[in-house]
Amino acid sequence: MITYLEDARQFQINTPHSTYALAVVDGKYLCHVYYGKRLEPQNLTDLLRLDHPPFVPSKNERETASFMDCAPFEYPVGNTGDYREAAFGIETAEGYSVCALCYVSHRIYNGKYNSRILPHTWGNGAETLEITLENVQLGLTAILSYTIFEGLDAIIRSARFELNADHPAKNLTVTRALSASLDMDDSRFEMISLYGSWARERQAERLPVRHGKQRIDSLRGESSHQYSPFFALVRPETTEDSGDAYGFTLIYSGNFLAQAEVTQFCQTRVQIGVHPDDFAWLLDYEGGTFETPEAVLVYSENGIGEMSRTFHRLFSDHLIRSKWRYCDRPVLLNNWEATYFDFTLDRLKEIADEAAALGIELFVLDDGWFGHRDSDNSSLGDWFPDQRKLPGGLKPLTDRLSALGMQFGLWFEPEMVSPDSDFYRAHPDFIVETPERCRTQSRAQYVLNMARGDVQRAVYDQIKAILDSAPISYIKWDMNRQLTEVPCKGFAHRYMLGVYSLMERLVSEYPDLLLETCSGGGARFDAGMLYYSPQIWASDNTDAKERLRIQYGASLFMPPSAIGAHVSVCPNHALGRNTPFETRANVAMNGTFGYELDVTRLPDAEKAQIPEQIRRYKEIAPLIRDGALWRLGDPFAPSGFAAQMQADYDAWIYVASDKKTAVFTYVQITAEANMKPRRIMLRGLSPETQYAFTRNGKAYCYSGAYLMQCGILIENLWGDMKSEQIMFRAV
Ligand code: GLA
């Protein structure tokens, strides 16, 4: 419910458990009043501290400079006396940057604004507040938008800008335009963010905020392995299940900035948006408007777990568009770790035969099927089958798969080109470059200039020709290098819009296609991609132990059903560790499950487990997709001296929305000799319901209350990385 309190000139956005309030001060300044636990609509403007201006160093009644330097602005601009980080900035043709934005009007309506060029939330039950701000001298209008969806403690924010067509200032350049900025009244926060690298994505870190700016960002042209466009501010006492947690993410896959700035008066300015450092946008470009990606703000009064569940629900119900969002995804086998580039049609058929016999439903042919690609040194851009490896093209393989009752999926890297390719030789000007500067190669490839319509069309025509030539039900869309030598500020955003437009065309023309996006593992594991692809490859690291951390980090803000997770062979190809086959599967089931190995070469004892694993996954997949995730362990917990009696483990439970079924998974990361069995308190169950389950062939029945208060006893398992999965059913 969104309310406008006329007397207080205050807007109050109420979700089931949160309130977000802002107010118009002095008839023109839009200020942030409150964000936190729900309050009934009431005048909150006292929270603005307007009658207590600071001494900076003069102190007149409401001296403007003093006011500007500390007022909690809702969408701050620079160069007007607010020396904190601005959300918005411009440059006029003369080079001037002063641009105050003043309140003009607002409207509250059912529904929301949906961008035509950016991924965005959508669906029924939306209510929106739009506040129009203006700079009269420059003829510039800004519309700040706040949307809530029924039943969710989330607020979707974005901003749009346009120039008044009759105004002479037609060439104004927007130099920064963040999606959201928010001034919290205090700084007693810790910041949770996700750092990483290739094969080590989404490592969670929690540190107290301090004075100054703490930021995570990407200037790589993708949301990146290194930081995710997500962070949370929590109170020092906040846990998984209690305390305030504020989560922020961006529905965007390119360069971003996410920042918390603690000021001289111990306020915290929170910001998220497209990275301003390499951004510029000429406002008369394409009709004189600019719109920011949507930012998502989530508040939870019940800890980090509830914050995550709100993101999961919002993204599952109001962001993922694919028809697959509520459907069982096929269990796939991907041949990458099985064969890499080295395969023949016969090898693929052998693997497919065995896979089909074990119950695998989708065969994914990864890199190496096109051009003359025997290594990563050639052929990106030549999207036609390599006749040496696939004589007769894809048909002999897809005929075999159809006979086996298997679906077929194919890998593409549409945004890239190898210098050694016919496509590059025909179109050397299609790449991202700055004329007469060096052209940096990475993985022996260049990035195609997706900001250009003709480049998009040339790539799309090739993909379409392949899609129309064979029964292809799945595509893995990869992106294996970062941008370099971008020609100008703002290019990276145009590039991203081009990629989105290409993806839009693909999913609109092939609505049944299951699209899995990927970027050298998990460098584009973000909410922007979710709009097009319901699952995203989370990391090239398939080691079960490391996956616990990667998937824990991912689950902080992304729905588990989006996490592409595969069982691979040991020693693991990324780091050489051995883990039990059963645990590899139990960990991969905490996401969208598949195999990435050569089933024909698997030890019989492991192969024999596959049909049962698939049966189990089919049973629990609806819970992982539509149920609620409760994290019960922390794979980042310190081990060793500092954590005696707390050997590392991880555990989680998915509970169906009707609470009638639940699946619990426990992983003993490190075994300990002679330690008493561990009790894990379950969460999310219905206290009064009796739950039946079997363990080691024995049947049990306990109430939800017992399982949540007394827990389930886990005996010491023999060996590291041992695991157990238990299915609970209400009786
Ligand atoms: C990336 C992907 C892998 C695989 C390779 C192929 O690294 O993350 O899964 O597809 O490319 O080159």
Side-chain angles (χ1 to χ4, degrees):
M1 188 186 57
I2 302 177
T3 324
Y4 178 58
L5 305 176
E6 182 88 48
D7 293 350
R9 302 205 74 183
Q10 179 197 307
F11 306 96
Q12 191 160 332
I13 304 168
N14 273 12
T15 70
H17 306 99
S18 77
T19 289
Y20 188 106
L22 42 162
V24 180
V25 173
D26 288 353
K28 57 181 179 179
Y29 300 110
L30 189 64
C31 288
H32 180 76
V33 178
Y34 174 86
Y35 188 28
K37 194 176 160 101
R38 185 183 156 117
L39 292 160
E40 288 315 307
Q42 58 193 284
N43 187 337
L44 299 169
T45 47
D46 191 43
L47 295 172
L48 286 167
R49 303 173 186 272
L50 294 178
D51 299 327
H52 308 278
F55 195 84
V56 290
S58 66
K59 184 179 177 181
N60 300 330
E61 264 317 286
R62 292 299 287 291
E63 208 228 42
T64 317
S66 131
F67 169 75
M68 294 306 289
D69 208 16
C70 71
F73 290 114
E74 186 64 10
Y75 201 68
V77 295
N79 202 1
T80 53
D82 178 355
Y83 295 98
R84 297 158 290 179
E85 188 111 343
F88 181 68
I90 57 116
E91 193 172 304
T92 64
E94 302 86 0
Y96 299 144
S97 66
V98 181
C99 178
L101 290 174
C102 299
Y103 170 86
V104 186
S105 62
H106 70 269
R107 70 182 181 122
I108 295 168
Y109 63 96
N110 290 327
K112 77 181 279 283
Y113 168 81
N114 288 332
S115 170
R116 283 186 299 116
I117 55 173
L118 282 161
H120 55 83
T121 53
W122 54 276
N124 294 334
E127 191 182 0
T128 298
L129 163 66
E130 278 186 1
I131 300 178
T132 301
L133 310 174
E134 194 179 32
N135 183 298
V136 182
Q137 296 87 349
L138 295 172
L140 176 71
T141 302
I143 298 170
L144 305 186
S145 167
Y146 301 77
T147 295
I148 51 176
F149 286 99
E150 207 179 322
L152 287 165
D153 292 313
I155 297 173
I156 321 298
R157 280 189 63 177
S158 64
R160 312 196 290 280
F161 305 89
E162 55 192 52
L163 278 187
N164 175 347
D166 307 329
H167 201 276
K170 278 194 183 140
N171 286 325
L172 184 135
T173 301
V174 177
T175 54
R176 66 165 55 214
L178 300 183
S179 299
S181 183
L182 164 67
D183 284 353
M184 310 284 271
D185 192 50
D186 71 307
S187 61
R188 206 176 60 81
F189 289 115
E190 294 180 347
M191 181 167 171
I192 298 173
S193 60
L194 300 169
Y195 70 93
S197 182
W198 172 78
R200 206 161 26 77
E201 296 89 340
R202 276 161 285 287
Q203 307 292 303
E205 190 165 53
R206 177 171 173 168
L207 293 167
V209 300
R210 49 172 177 78
H211 281 90
K213 296 170 189 172
Q214 32 260 285
R215 62 166 52 175
I216 47 170
D217 65 354
S218 169
L219 284 166
R220 295 167 185 268
E222 58 186 2
S223 50
S224 91
H225 299 99
Q226 285 70 17
Y227 300 104
S228 290
F230 157 81
F231 70 107
L233 291 182
V234 299
R235 297 296 182 188
E237 65 275 13
T238 297
T239 67
E240 183 68 18
D241 293 323
S242 69
D244 286 343
Y246 298 86
F248 307 91
T249 193
L250 204 57
I251 302 182
Y252 190 60
S253 315
N255 293 345
F256 73 91
L257 170 70
Q259 174 168 291
E261 174 183 8
V262 179
T263 71
Q264 57 181 332
F265 301 114
C266 301
Q267 305 147 308
T268 306
R269 176 164 285 181
V270 181
Q271 296 181 315
I272 194 162
V274 171
H275 206 308
D277 279 11
D278 71 342
F279 178 78
W281 200 267
L282 206 59
L283 254 196
D284 70 350
Y285 188 77
E286 282 176 5
T289 62
F290 178 75
E291 51 185 306
T292 72
E294 292 183 349
V296 181
L297 285 55
V298 166
Y299 169 74
S300 152
E301 58 179 309
N302 295 316
I304 302 159
E306 191 166 290
M307 172 200 78
S308 298
R309 287 186 290 279
T310 301
F311 277 120
H312 300 169
R313 207 56 282 141
L314 175 77
F315 290 163
S316 298
D317 292 347
H318 295 288
L319 181 61
I320 299 175
R321 272 183 313 167
S322 165
K323 74 161 204 185
W324 290 98
R325 74 193 167 122
Y326 296 135
C327 296
D328 287 350
R329 320 268 169 82
V331 173
L332 66 78
L333 180 134
N334 178 304
N335 78 313
W336 179 240
E337 284 198 29
T339 65
Y340 295 102
F341 296 102
D342 185 17
F343 57 82
T344 60
L345 175 62
D346 287 343
R347 278 300 292 134
L348 298 179
K349 282 181 178 170
E350 279 165 28
I351 296 173
D353 288 351
E354 190 81 55
L358 295 168
I360 294 168
E361 299 157 305
L362 165 66
F363 183 87
V364 177
L365 181 53
D366 208 276
D367 197 354
W369 60 269
F370 50 91
H372 58 99
R373 188 158 163 99
D374 295 328
S375 73
D376 50 14
N377 285 324
S378 81
S379 303
L380 295 172
D382 294 345
W383 301 111
F384 43 82
D386 180 348
Q387 294 293 331
R388 298 167 312 155
K389 295 183 194 173
L390 298 166
L394 295 173
K395 192 163 186 312
L397 179 62
T398 55
D399 282 352
R400 176 66 145 256
L401 295 174
S402 304
L404 293 168
M406 275 185 122
Q407 300 168 44
F408 179 53
L410 206 52
W411 180 95
F412 285 92
E413 197 175 353
E415 299 157 65
M416 300 291 155
V417 69
S418 307
D420 177 10
S421 67
D422 293 344
F423 192 77
Y424 181 73
R425 283 182 282 272
H427 306 288
D429 60 316
F430 270 16
I431 67 167
V432 173
E433 63 170 337
T434 299
E436 292 172 26
R437 299 294 193 282
C438 70
R439 297 171 152 196
T440 300
Q441 288 187 23
S442 173
R443 209 190 187 201
Q445 63 199 54
Y446 294 128
V447 184
L448 289 170
N449 187 341
M450 285 296 158
R452 278 173 58 173
D454 56 344
V455 177
Q456 286 174 33
R457 283 188 292 278
V459 171
Y460 189 80
D461 288 347
Q462 287 199 64
I463 297 178
K464 183 171 169 55
I466 291 286
L467 283 176
D468 293 345
S469 77
I472 296 172
S473 58
Y474 162 108
I475 280 187
K476 178 171 168 190
W477 178 312
D478 209 338
M479 194 259 190
N480 275 313
R481 65 154 287 183
Q482 302 154 357
L483 269 54
T484 54
E485 288 94 33
V486 299
C488 58
K489 286 189 168 206
F491 176 83
H493 183 63
R494 290 208 173 93
Y495 176 88
M496 216 49 251
L497 294 180
V499 171
Y500 287 147
S501 140
L502 199 56
M503 287 186 173
E504 179 67 39
R505 192 167 167 200
L506 182 69
V507 299
S508 326
E509 286 186 26
Y510 299 91
D512 294 337
L513 194 72
L514 174 55
L515 181 63
E516 175 156 354
T517 47
C518 170
S519 181
R524 261 193 193 156
F525 195 87
D526 56 65
M529 284 293 132
L530 268 187
Y531 184 66
Y532 308 95
S533 63
Q535 62 199 54
I536 308 174
W537 185 228
S539 176
D540 282 344
N541 185 342
T542 49
D543 170 67
K545 182 172 180 208
E546 301 250 310
R547 272 285 179 144
L548 291 176
R549 291 185 167 191
I550 293 167
Q551 294 176 184
Y552 176 104
S555 78
L556 285 174
F557 73 114
M558 292 280 274
S561 64
I563 301 174
H566 298 169
V567 179
S568 63
V569 295
C570 281
N572 179 268
H573 289 193
L575 44 73
R577 181 182 284 121
N578 289 306
T579 52
F581 194 71
E582 189 191 352
T583 299
R584 277 176 261 159
N586 285 341
V587 172
M589 285 187 204
N590 190 15
T592 287
F593 182 70
Y595 294 87
E596 189 158 333
L597 41 72
D598 184 347
V599 268
T600 66
R601 298 194 176 148
L602 211 56
D604 287 344
E606 295 185 351
K607 207 190 297 182
Q609 296 179 42
I610 292 181
E612 161 61 12
Q613 289 172 352
I614 294 176
R615 187 202 60 72
R616 227 171 349 116
Y617 182 67
K618 294 254 145 210
E619 195 175 5
I620 68 174
L623 280 171
I624 290 164
R625 199 185 52 228
D626 308 325
L629 166 69
W630 298 73
R631 288 178 295 254
L632 309 173
D634 177 359
F636 295 95
S639 54
F641 182 69
Q644 286 176 19
M645 309 290 288
Q646 283 187 40
D648 19 348
Y649 70 91
D650 199 1
W652 55 91
I653 186 168
Y654 286 92
V655 182
S657 50
D658 63 6
K659 298 188 186 253
K660 292 210 167 113
T661 46
V663 60
F664 163 76
T665 308
Y666 170 82
V667 181
Q668 171 181 286
I669 299 175
T670 318
E672 263 190 310
N674 194 23
M675 185 49 78
K676 71 177 196 291
R678 180 171 283 134
R679 267 182 199 285
I680 308 285
M681 310 300 172
L682 304 190
R683 292 276 174 269
L685 300 170
S686 139
E688 308 80 40
T689 304
Q690 295 290 322
Y691 291 95
F693 56 98
T694 43
R695 288 179 88 183
N696 305 323
K698 256 181 94 179
Y700 299 86
C701 189
Y702 287 107
S703 70
Y706 176 88
L707 292 167
M708 293 192 287
Q709 280 155 236
C710 306
I712 185 149
L713 204 63
I714 308 278
E715 285 177 25
N716 286 321
L717 305 171
W718 182 253
D720 291 349
M721 287 303 291
K722 286 296 173 64
S723 62
E724 190 176 355
Q725 193 173 65
I726 304 173
M727 186 83 191
F728 293 90
R729 284 191 186 77
V731 290

